[in-house]
Every structure is written in structure tokens, then in C-alpha cells.
Amino acid sequence: MFILKFQFSTVTVLGIPFINTTNDTFVHQLFEEINTDQNIFVVTANPEIVMYADEHPEYAEIIKQADYITPDGIGIIKGAQILGQPLQERITGYDTFLSLLDWADANHKSAFFVGAKPEVMNDLRTTLQEKYPNLVLAGTYDGYFETDEHIVAAIQLTQPDMVFAALGFPKQEEFIIKNRHLTNALWMGLGGSFDVLSGHVQRAPKFWQRAHAEWLYRVLKEPWRIKRLMVLPKYLSKVRKSK
Ligand code: UDP
């Protein structure tokens, strides 16, 4: 059966087309596609990822193969405003992840988890079993593997509905592109989401999120991130020039 892929309208920021929709519409689209066994690759991109893609054409080629690229990060919302093409909403990897887990729990769906440090993965397994008792855990592997052969074999065998890869960029998207043929599932890169859900890292409270200062909260908690934020001014000036 050939199912036409739904197209959201997009806003292109530095060559990356971001879907222009709401969290709610987006996750319902994903539920529908998972239910019809489609092969879906989702990238949730922030300015760091956009700048990395700008400087690494091979990575840009990978993320352009995504079915959906969502605006994760206030910098993308700002970039779209600068271009005079505002996006409706920020759609973060973490929020999408939580919506998918709630839905999977309510509908007995299966998910495969790969990423994060071994101790984080241990705690994540416990969190998942406690919070989402009806979610089927197809496999859980930490993200510090030498080769992915055993992970590939496990995905092939279990044929999960969803594969969550939290390996940081660009590793997670490289892993997905290499392996998405293994099963018709939702494949999604999730950065540090396993650290947050397992309780190892605290997400910014709602106040900081609403004040559009989640990035500042993260830097205060994890000061080494300041180096990674240095790309922001460069990114904004590049977007202005591209107008
Ligand atoms: N990570 C991993 N394997 C690696 C490198 C990183 O599993 O080889 C994990 C790391 O432990 C962390 C996540 O990938 O859980 C990256 O988190 P970060 O918050 O840095 O994500 P980003 O900001 O890159 O999306």
C-alpha cells in the first residue's frame, strides 16, 4: 500500500526546512503514521545543529532526508521571525518524546532506546517501567558502544514501533540514517532527553521555558555548555544576512 506522506508547510532557516505547525498537530500526525507502519525520521533541530549542518555538508545531507525537522530551540523561532516568516510554535524533542511515551503506554506500543551513559540507561529503564507500565520495552542499550552490530540485530529482531536514539548530534542522525531500513518505525534523535527523563539532569522549570530562557538555565546547570552557545550570535547574524 502506498501512503502519501503528509506535508506540513515549512519555513527554511539557513537551508533547513522547519515544519510550521503545533505540538498537538505534529504528534497526532506521528501517531497516525506509526499506526500505519510508516518509516519516519524526525530531527529536532536547534541553532547549534543548523550551524553544524551549515559547516558540514555531509551532515546537512543526512538531516535533509528527515521526514520532519522541528524547531527545537528559541533561536529557530527567532530566526524565522527575522526572516519575516514566523513559526507557530517551538516543538522540542523532549516534549515530543513525552507525548509519544504517553500515547505508547495507552496503546501498548513498543519502543527501542539507545543512548546515554550506562548508569543513565539503568535508571531510565526503571523510570520507564514505573511511569509507562504498558509501554513494551523492545530494547535498551547505552550509547557508548564500539560497534552497533548487537543493537542492529536487536532492532531487526524486535521490530519496534519507535526507535529513540539519544546519542547527541551528529551521531544520533548518522545512526538513524544507517539503520532506518531495519524496520518501519518512528526514528528520532533525542540529544540529552534520557538524562532528563531518568532524573540525572533537571529540565528548566516552566517559568524559564516561558521566559524563553531554557538555554540560560542549562548553561547555569552545566557551565561547559557556554562554549556551545557561542554559535548563537554567529547564527543570528548569518540568518540576518541571508534575508
Ligand atoms: N552520548 C552517547 N554516546 C556518545 C556521546 C553522547 O550516548 O558517544 C549521549 C550523552 O550521554 C547524552 C547525549 O548523548 O546523554 C547528548 O546529550 P546533549 O544534551 O549533549 O545533547 P545535544 O545537546 O547534543 O542534543
Side-chain angles (χ1 to χ4, degrees):
M1 181 172 49
F2 179 76
I3 299 169
L4 203 62
K5 189 142 291 280
F6 183 82
Q7 295 284 324
F8 290 112
S9 69
T10 55
V11 173
T12 299
V13 181
L14 297 183
I16 306 296
F18 287 92
I19 55 167
N20 187 7
T21 185
T22 61
N23 281 276
D24 198 47
T25 309
F26 178 54
V27 292
H28 279 91
Q29 177 63 24
L30 296 182
F31 301 160
E32 179 70 31
E33 293 189 20
I34 296 167
N35 273 337
T36 49
D37 285 331
Q38 298 193 52
N39 189 298
I40 322 150
F41 172 22
V42 175
V43 172
T44 63
N46 57 20
E48 267 183 272
I49 290 189
V50 171
M51 288 304 279
Y52 189 84
D54 198 53
E55 284 153 17
H56 298 82
E58 67 291 350
Y59 182 65
E61 279 317 305
I62 289 178
I63 65 174
K64 282 180 192 161
Q65 290 176 59
D67 297 289
Y68 304 113
I69 305 177
T70 80
D72 183 345
I74 195 63
I76 303 298
I77 302 295
K78 288 260 175 267
Q81 273 167 8
I82 291 170
L83 296 173
Q85 299 171 57
L87 284 159
Q88 292 182 52
E89 222 166 64
R90 183 176 167 216
I91 301 177
T92 71
Y94 192 65
D95 288 325
T96 309
F97 180 44
L98 294 186
S99 299
L100 286 163
L101 290 175
D102 278 337
W103 174 79
D105 185 44
N107 294 282
H108 299 261
K109 299 288 176 186
S110 62
F112 197 101
F113 298 79
V114 54
K117 297 197 179 105
E119 62 271 26
V120 171
M121 185 43 88
N122 270 334
D123 291 342
L124 181 72
R125 215 176 291 122
T126 310
T127 307
L128 290 169
Q129 281 159 352
E130 280 172 11
K131 282 197 172 166
Y132 308 99
N134 299 316
L135 165 75
V136 180
L137 288 187
T140 54
Y141 287 81
D142 73 71
Y144 292 84
F145 45 85
E146 297 270 307
T147 68
D148 65 3
E149 280 157 37
H150 54 303
I151 300 170
V152 164
I155 295 174
Q156 183 106 58
L157 187 73
T158 56
Q159 297 285 303
D161 296 307
M162 296 175 278
V163 179
F164 297 120
L167 304 162
F169 77 89
K171 208 171 164 186
Q172 59 200 17
E173 285 79 24
E174 288 164 1
F175 173 86
I176 291 173
I177 275 297
K178 175 170 170 276
N179 294 316
R180 67 183 287 201
H181 67 278
L182 293 171
T183 179
N184 280 343
L186 164 90
W187 294 75
M188 186 169 176
L190 281 171
S193 296
F194 295 178
D195 303 79
V196 179
L197 187 59
S198 65
H200 282 253
V201 170
Q202 226 195 324
R203 193 181 179 193
K206 285 274 178 250
F207 166 80
W208 291 76
Q209 292 181 40
R210 277 197 295 267
H212 297 163
E214 190 162 8
W215 58 275
L216 178 61
Y217 184 89
R218 280 188 100 180
V219 172
L220 293 174
K221 287 272 171 190
E222 301 168 280
W224 57 269
R225 284 190 183 273
I226 191 80
K227 266 204 262 148
R228 294 176 48 173
L229 275 183
M230 298 306 211
V231 301
L232 255 169
K234 201 171 154 195
Y235 158 81
L236 288 172
S237 109
K238 233 182 149 161
V239 173
R240 276 190 201 101
K241 277 192 204 131
S242 76
K243 198 179 167 182

